[in-house]
Amino acid sequence: GAGVSQSPRYKVAKRGQDVALRCDPISGHVSLFWYQQALGQGPEFLTYFQNEAQLDKSGLPSDRFFAERPEGSVSTLKIQRTQQEDSAVYLCASSLPGRGQNSPLHFGNGTRLTVT
Amino acid sequence: RKEVEQDPGPFNVPEGATVAFNCTYSNSASQSFFWYRQDCRKEPKLLMSVYSSGNEDGRFTAQLNRASQYISLLIRDSKLSDSATYLCVVNDEGRDDKIIFGKGTRLHILP
């Protein structure tokens, strides 16, 4: 399909395990965002890329979280030494270049991470 | 003050009624505003952009009040299928296009 693709759809990790979440944005979308959504909450911003450049990582909750987009397309969000509070849905979104009304976000289905 | 604030609800509204909710934002330099809809266990999807002059899409009307820094969403003749969480979204273009979500307002349409 032509939408944003995320994998895996579900991930169960034991506390202390490292995980890697993948996002494949819509082709041609320059901007890529990662969000964390806890149950009953709105998506919380984690980080933002424009092509391969990570322009904002102010939302990453700790240095255990790392994101990359080395070729300006696929992005990976890595969480090291997972903790129970990391359990959430991780949403990836992409948008066209430019700003404003012409750049709504298109979301993937998300990865539901459960840390046991 | 949170960057984007919404009443979490839930709003329980009978089918056919009109419902409205607001969202306030803290950054007066924000330029772009959206309403997204999120169904349970699904990803958010764009409902409508919010333009300065206000805009309408069928039963949905969005308005922006820059002076008071809020946006609103009005749903007329509500349907059961309108039950969802409505997320207010602000694009802080002054900060490299950081897009901020509110926590969402839950809407339940009652038969």
Side-chain angles (χ1 to χ4, degrees):
Chain A
V4 177
S5 177
Q6 290 188 247
S7 61
R9 186 71 192 274
Y10 303 94
K11 177 69 180 178
V12 179
K14 291 188 177 179
R15 193 164 64 94
Q17 189 178 351
D18 296 350
V19 298
L21 313 180
R22 176 188 167 106
C23 174
D24 205 332
I26 293 173
S27 178
H29 277 196
V30 166
S31 299
L32 186 147
F33 300 79
W34 283 99
Y35 289 85
Q36 179 191 59
Q37 187 171 26
L39 191 63
Q41 302 293 315
E44 295 279 351
F45 171 81
L46 293 177
T47 186
Y48 160 60
F49 290 86
Q50 196 168 89
N51 294 307
E52 69 279 4
Q54 189 173 22
L55 296 187
D56 189 336
K57 55 182 181 180
S58 62
L60 296 176
S62 77
D63 59 8
R64 296 186 295 104
F65 286 70
F66 172 77
E68 61 182 4
R69 194 186 185 197
E71 296 178 2
S73 178
V74 172
S75 177
T76 303
L77 176 67
K78 298 178 180 177
I79 309 173
Q80 297 176 320
R81 304 181 303 281
T82 51
Q83 304 294 315
Q84 283 192 317
E85 63 262 27
D86 300 336
S87 296
V89 175
Y90 290 84
L91 293 163
C92 175
S94 69
S95 69
L96 286 167
R99 294 177 166 183
Q101 307 294 348
N102 294 324
S103 304
L105 295 179
H106 298 265
F107 281 87
N109 291 328
T111 293
R112 184 176 297 275
L113 174 65
T114 304
V115 181
T116 60
Chain B
R1 182 182 173 187
K2 291 192 184 299
E3 294 170 289
V4 179
E5 291 200 64
Q6 295 182 249
D7 182 340
F11 285 56
N12 297 308
V13 174
E15 190 176 10
T18 295
V19 60
F21 23 85
N22 289 343
C23 160
T24 58
Y25 59 95
S26 61
N27 183 1
S28 59
S30 299
Q31 293 296 317
S32 304
F33 308 90
F34 307 89
W35 284 103
Y36 278 71
R37 171 196 169 125
Q38 187 171 27
D39 294 292
C40 188
R41 293 183 174 267
K42 298 286 189 181
E43 72 277 18
K45 292 187 177 176
L46 179 68
L47 178 65
M48 58 196 303
S49 301
V50 185
Y51 298 105
S52 297
S53 55
N55 49 299
E56 191 174 302
D57 182 2
R59 298 181 293 109
F60 298 83
T61 300
Q63 293 198 313
L64 167 64
N65 184 318
R66 286 193 185 274
S68 300
Q69 292 180 216
Y70 76 83
I71 67 172
S72 64
L73 179 67
L74 179 83
I75 306 174
R76 290 182 300 279
D77 188 24
S78 53
K79 311 291 184 191
L80 293 176
S81 57
D82 294 334
S83 298
T85 296
Y86 290 84
L87 299 161
C88 171
V89 181
V90 175
N91 186 336
D92 271 357
E93 290 170 28
R95 290 193 285 173
D96 292 319
D97 286 322
K98 184 173 176 178
I99 296 181
I100 309 294
F101 281 76
K103 293 190 181 301
T105 297
R106 284 182 295 147
L107 175 65
H108 296 155
I109 304 300
L110 308 172

